[in-house]
Amino acid sequence: MDIVGNGFLAGSLRPMAERHPGTVALAAGVSWASGTSDADFAREATLVRETALRCKADGRRLLFFSTSATGMYGAAEGPGREDRPVVPCSPYGAHKLALEEQVRATGADHLILRLSHLVGPGQPPHQLLPTLVRQLRGGVVRIHRAATRDLIDVTDTVTVIDRLLTLDLTAETVNVASGVSVPVDQIVDHLERSLGLTARREYQETGSHHTVSIDKLRALVPEVDRLGFGPDYYRRVLDVFSWGFRGDAVTTRL
């Protein structure tokens, strides 16, 4: 597998790259849902189009990473599903949906994975969990009261991706998530216990709750049941994540 990108997800995919020689994984582009610009979106659109067209010309499959986060499914009634029309509720979600449509329009062989919130060592410092840890250490945590997050360990994510790629799927879109949405308040509770920290909480009356359906993922990869997805799965994910925070700095791989 050829991997485009050198960040958190790209680095996590590299150990399995040799097992999928006919695939190009596009693990680069916009990863900051609340801090992007039109220029960032335009650069990613160009990268996606050019990569998809190269895959079509070379006869390779494009593995494109989209999102199953609030920006994509936040306005959905019931769990967000791949087989239902989507109405994005943020510029980031609209951008990712447009990129999905762009990939399909090129005619390239492709697999689109809508990822939830990946957790693991070296994730970018602007993402939720590193941000919460910095705020906990600073003594004040800012929380969107209604916000929830579907957390999934990056190691489990790679296991699922590896299995999906062996199925020779084409022109498919699949949610890759735990299927459980956790209130951010509960995430902060667990981080405080794991890190031995306590902070004052400042609430904003914003945020939205949504759940990601993993029915299709379970049908394609029944082995996901061995990963322990369920109401308490996030606790294990946060415990593993917390081990990466020793000393004063957040370790990152950029």
Side-chain angles (χ1 to χ4, degrees):
M1 178 167 64
D2 289 337
I3 300 172
V4 180
N6 56 10
F8 172 51
L9 178 56
S12 300
L13 292 171
R14 287 198 175 93
M16 71 168 190
E18 292 185 359
R19 292 198 291 278
H20 307 287
T23 297
V24 176
L26 184 47
V30 174
S31 66
W32 192 353
S34 61
T36 51
S37 67
D38 289 343
D40 293 327
F41 288 156
R43 279 192 293 270
E44 184 176 19
T46 298
L47 176 64
V48 170
R49 181 174 60 256
E50 292 177 349
T51 306
L53 289 174
R54 282 198 300 271
C55 286
K56 182 180 181 182
D58 297 342
R60 293 186 292 174
R61 173 175 51 180
L62 174 63
L63 177 60
F64 176 68
F65 297 105
S66 185
T67 182
S68 64
T70 301
M72 183 69 75
Y73 286 136
E77 293 186 8
R81 300 178 60 92
E82 309 92 330
D83 58 354
R84 293 179 181 169
V86 176
V87 180
C89 60
S90 75
Y92 178 75
H95 168 68
K96 286 298 186 182
L97 184 61
L99 293 181
E100 292 183 12
E101 294 167 351
Q102 180 174 286
V103 167
R104 298 182 188 105
T106 65
D109 185 9
H110 65 271
L111 172 62
I112 295 171
L113 301 183
R114 291 178 177 167
L115 305 181
S116 65
H117 292 269
L118 273 58
V119 178
Q123 68 185 104
H126 63 260
Q127 292 183 347
L128 175 68
L129 294 187
T131 298
L132 289 177
V133 170
R134 286 196 302 274
Q135 291 180 0
L136 282 169
R137 288 174 169 168
V140 180
V141 180
R142 289 173 290 280
I143 299 173
H144 293 195
R145 192 181 294 275
T148 62
R149 293 292 185 271
D150 183 312
L151 305 179
I152 183 170
D153 190 296
V154 69
T155 302
D156 292 338
T157 302
V158 170
T159 297
V160 169
I161 293 170
D162 193 12
R163 180 64 181 132
L164 286 169
L165 290 176
T166 66
L167 299 177
D168 292 326
L169 301 173
T170 182
E172 292 280 2
T173 301
V174 184
N175 290 333
V176 177
S178 76
V180 176
S181 291
V182 184
V184 173
D185 235 1
Q186 291 183 24
I187 294 172
V188 173
D189 287 343
H190 199 90
L191 287 174
E192 284 187 331
R193 290 192 295 268
S194 296
L195 297 171
L197 298 171
T198 302
R200 177 168 54 87
R201 303 186 188 192
E202 294 181 349
Y203 290 94
Q204 297 179 342
E205 301 300 324
T206 57
S208 64
H209 170 84
H210 80 288
T211 303
V212 181
S213 170
I214 58 170
D215 290 348
K216 184 173 182 176
L217 177 63
R218 287 186 187 279
L220 291 169
V221 186
E223 299 93 326
V224 299
D225 289 335
R226 302 173 191 168
L227 299 178
F229 293 164
D232 293 324
Y233 171 77
Y234 81 98
R235 300 179 187 277
R236 176 173 69 80
V237 173
L238 291 177
D239 285 342
V240 173
F241 172 79
S242 298
W243 276 106
F245 289 88
R246 295 294 181 267
D248 295 327
V250 175
T251 301
T252 61
R253 179 171 67 236
L254 300 176

